Amino acid sequence: MLKVGIVGLPNVGKSTLFKALTRKSVDISNYPFCTIEPNVGIVEVPDDRLAKLAALSHSKKIVPAVIEFVDIAGLVKGASEGEGLGNKFLSHIREVDAIVEVIRVFSNEKIIHVHSTIDPAHDREIVETELILADLDTVAKVRARLEKEARGQNKEALAQLPVLKNIEQTLAEGKLASQAALMYDEATKVLIRELSLLTMKPILYVYNVTDFDAPLPEKLLRPHAVPRNDSVSESVTGVKLDVKIEEELIEMSAEEVKEMELISHLGDLIIQAYALLGLMTYFTTGEDETRAWTIPSGSTAPQAGAAIHGDFEEKFIRAEVIHWTKLLEAGSWSTARDKGSLRLEGKEYIVQDGDVIVFKI
């Protein structure tokens, strides 16, 4: 299971967001580092397609896709040099596959800000600068080793060293490693896996607001204070949330929520985090259950089958495939087959999000 780490400065709403997402009770206190060890929770991915397919198949059970969220302690300026929880904090980020960075936009005199002023763009710069500095330290250590091996004419080191220097230059310019212009050949992929850089991880921004309809501060919509590569869009991937309201909503009944005309936007965050991880969903459906299966985008039919069981990949013969909308239109699997809506696909078929599949092995 892939993990999404919730990251940000202290007192920006990380643990409150985690509680709203996971419905788990966690320590939410008005002081820095009330979270020391990461909290971990499993979150269902909202998907209206499941209920429709389950109704069609009269399924006894629905099993949604899930992702894992990790609430990580607040970062402070100087973390890359050991300030705050320092290396412990950074090691926790290194273990996740993507980052949700919570940025405080709201003002509240009762909630301490570690820098005594609300400046969302500056807060974002602090977090990302610390990640960049930590990555520079990692790169310098690996470069020393590769240079030594390259002097001995090690072929792998000779191939990886230019890639490493490219990444190092990008970081030295104050950019994220993910913004380096790289050719993703095998040598590069191996090096990136070895480096496990913090700023190579995809980032989704959560802007914690109290007025959902108010525009975000202009500085957040301009190019980051940390310079950006020209090839990277300035329309940053992110969602606005009133995190406190989201926490309160989980304590309310459906009738109370309806009466107060409140709307949760947590689903938007979960769905974007799922996509950020490069994941997609296909379905199996029948009387026993309708289930969402999580696979990496671009998976072949045998690779998708492996999500169910290894035999589905190793002993794959073919797959019967239909898009979920076509199945609903047909009204049943047998009718879809009679109408010719089902397709027989082989080992090379690339599964599409929303496919309903029966594997033949």
Side-chain angles (χ1 to χ4, degrees):
M1 185 180 298
L2 298 181
K3 299 179 181 180
V4 179
I6 303 175
V7 172
L9 297 179
N11 293 350
V12 296
K14 299 185 307 302
S15 294
T16 307
L17 174 60
F18 178 83
K19 179 182 177 183
L21 281 167
T22 63
R23 297 173 181 263
K24 290 177 68 172
S25 179
V26 294
D27 186 7
I28 302 170
S29 302
N30 185 21
Y31 57 85
F33 311 122
C34 70
T35 301
I36 297 177
E37 293 301 325
N39 299 304
V40 179
I42 307 300
V43 178
E44 294 182 2
V45 179
D47 197 328
D48 294 338
R49 299 172 294 184
L50 277 167
K52 294 173 183 178
L53 288 170
L56 177 76
S57 301
H58 306 289
S59 302
K60 297 173 185 174
K61 183 169 66 171
I62 292 176
V63 183
V66 296
I67 52 179
E68 186 173 309
F69 281 87
V70 183
D71 176 26
I72 298 173
L75 173 149
V76 295
K77 189 173 183 178
S80 58
E81 299 174 350
E83 292 294 327
L85 296 180
N87 292 330
K88 189 173 185 179
F89 166 88
L90 296 170
S91 70
H92 292 155
I93 301 179
R94 211 173 298 282
E95 293 170 2
V96 303
D97 302 284
I99 294 170
V100 163
E101 185 179 331
V102 182
I103 298 172
R104 176 175 172 175
V105 180
F106 71 90
S107 296
N108 186 330
E109 293 181 357
K110 295 180 180 178
I111 299 177
I112 301 164
H113 190 287
V114 289
H115 299 124
S116 303
T117 183
I118 306 301
D119 188 341
H122 183 245
D123 290 354
R124 181 174 64 186
E125 180 183 355
I126 289 172
V127 171
E128 295 184 1
T129 297
E130 292 304 321
L131 300 184
I132 288 168
L133 291 172
D135 281 350
L136 276 169
D137 184 57
T138 298
V139 167
K141 292 173 182 176
V142 175
R143 175 165 52 79
R145 176 179 61 78
L146 289 181
E147 286 176 342
K148 181 179 179 181
E149 292 175 357
R151 286 193 293 271
Q153 298 304 304
N154 179 290
K155 290 183 179 180
E156 187 176 72
L158 288 168
Q160 291 181 344
L161 197 53
V163 178
L164 186 72
K165 289 180 177 179
N166 185 344
I167 294 172
E168 186 173 32
Q169 179 61 35
T170 300
L171 293 168
E173 292 171 0
K175 301 172 186 175
L176 307 180
S178 59
Q179 294 173 280
L182 301 174
M183 297 291 291
Y184 283 88
D185 56 19
E186 194 56 36
T188 302
K189 292 177 183 177
V190 170
L191 178 63
I192 288 173
R193 282 197 297 271
E194 178 189 348
L195 290 170
S196 188
L197 295 178
L198 303 172
T199 62
M200 191 63 79
K201 300 178 188 296
I203 299 176
L204 173 66
Y205 298 97
V206 171
Y207 302 109
N208 188 3
V209 302
T210 48
D211 184 349
F212 191 85
D213 296 322
L216 291 171
E218 190 176 350
K219 283 184 179 180
L220 286 179
L221 304 178
R222 291 175 180 167
H224 286 199
V226 177
R228 296 281 153 171
N229 190 309
D230 291 340
S231 65
V232 176
S233 170
E234 297 301 347
S235 56
V236 176
T237 304
V239 293
K240 282 198 296 185
L241 289 178
D242 185 330
V243 174
K244 186 60 181 173
I245 289 293
E246 297 291 350
E247 180 198 16
E248 292 172 0
L249 282 172
I250 67 174
E251 308 292 344
M252 296 182 184
S253 66
E255 292 75 19
E256 289 173 321
V257 172
K258 185 176 180 180
E259 183 180 335
M260 298 180 70
E261 299 182 340
L262 296 173
I263 299 173
S264 173
H265 297 275
L266 279 181
D268 298 336
L269 166 60
I270 298 167
I271 291 168
Q272 285 203 41
Y274 191 71
L276 191 73
L277 289 166
L279 302 176
M280 55 174 278
T281 302
Y282 75 89
F283 303 101
T284 54
T285 186
E287 288 188 7
D288 287 339
E289 69 173 27
T290 292
R291 181 184 290 256
W293 297 95
T294 299
I295 57 174
S297 297
S299 295
T300 62
Q303 290 168 339
I308 300 175
H309 194 283
D311 284 352
F312 281 59
E313 181 174 18
E314 295 171 13
K315 301 178 181 180
F316 178 90
I317 298 174
R318 64 182 182 274
E320 282 189 316
V321 182
I322 184 171
H323 193 263
W324 75 278
T325 53
K326 294 292 185 183
L327 181 56
L328 290 184
E329 288 173 10
S332 71
W333 195 265
S334 58
T335 302
R337 182 180 285 112
D338 293 341
K339 287 184 174 182
S341 298
L342 289 178
R343 309 188 311 274
L344 287 178
E345 300 288 358
K347 293 182 177 180
E348 303 304 316
Y349 176 67
I350 303 298
V351 175
Q352 302 300 304
D353 186 76
D355 279 348
V356 184
I357 305 179
V358 171
F359 293 93
K360 305 294 183 181
I361 63 172

